[in-house]
Amino acid sequence: MSGPRMKVTRSKNKQQVTLSFLEGSGVAGSIDLDEKQLTQLITSLGEARSALLENQSIPTLENAQISPIRKTNWALQFDTLSEGSLIAFQHPAYGPVGVVIDATDTEKLIEGLQKHRMIIRSTPKDSSLPS
């Protein structure tokens, strides 16, 4: 089970995707999914992956390949359960995603953001920002 077992292609009208099972996968056929169905599948797969990893330690981000998003809607909310801060955003691939930052990590985040405010900006419109 080491090679790819399926592929995903986008329809010509860009309104659907087709999940096709590849030869050797043990399954024949394909499934057409609209945006809502694909989002439900992604969410279900994420929950399944989370369950598979629940007894493993969280891996470090050092040297991890990260695909940043640069245009999104986001919100900051108070998380009553942990008394931390919930940072939520719309991820283009996964939908709404959130992370809770506890009090200790909140202080680290504030320090980091304050350091970022001191960075010299490369565009003229940012010249009014602290440098």
Side-chain angles (χ1 to χ4, degrees), residues 32-87:
D32 293 326
L33 303 168
D34 62 21
E35 181 267 332
K36 185 176 180 180
Q37 294 166 324
L38 181 60
T39 299
Q40 290 171 336
L41 177 60
I42 291 168
T43 299
S44 296
L45 290 171
E47 290 169 357
R49 183 178 188 275
S50 179
L52 289 174
L53 299 175
E54 70 184 354
N55 293 324
Q56 296 181 25
S57 61
I58 299 172
T60 179
L61 286 173
E62 190 172 324
N63 298 321
Q65 184 176 353
I66 298 173
S67 300
I69 57 171
R70 292 186 169 84
K71 185 178 177 186
T72 187
N73 292 324
W74 65 275
L76 179 63
Q77 302 170 355
F78 183 71
D79 182 62
T80 54
L81 185 62
S82 68
E83 296 184 352
S85 297
L86 169 65
I87 300 173

Side-chain angles (χ1 to χ4, degrees), residues 89-110:
F89 58 95
Q90 280 287 352
H91 194 288
Y94 307 111
V97 178
V99 62
V100 174
I101 309 291
D102 66 21
T104 303
D105 288 335
T106 299
E107 291 305 317
K108 288 176 18 183
L109 182 60
I110 290 169

Side-chain angles (χ1 to χ4, degrees), residues 114 116-121 126-131:
Q114 287 174 336
H116 282 240
R117 290 182 74 191
M118 304 309 281
I119 295 173
I120 296 173
R121 308 292 176 193
D126 292 335
S127 63
S128 63
L129 298 173
S131 56

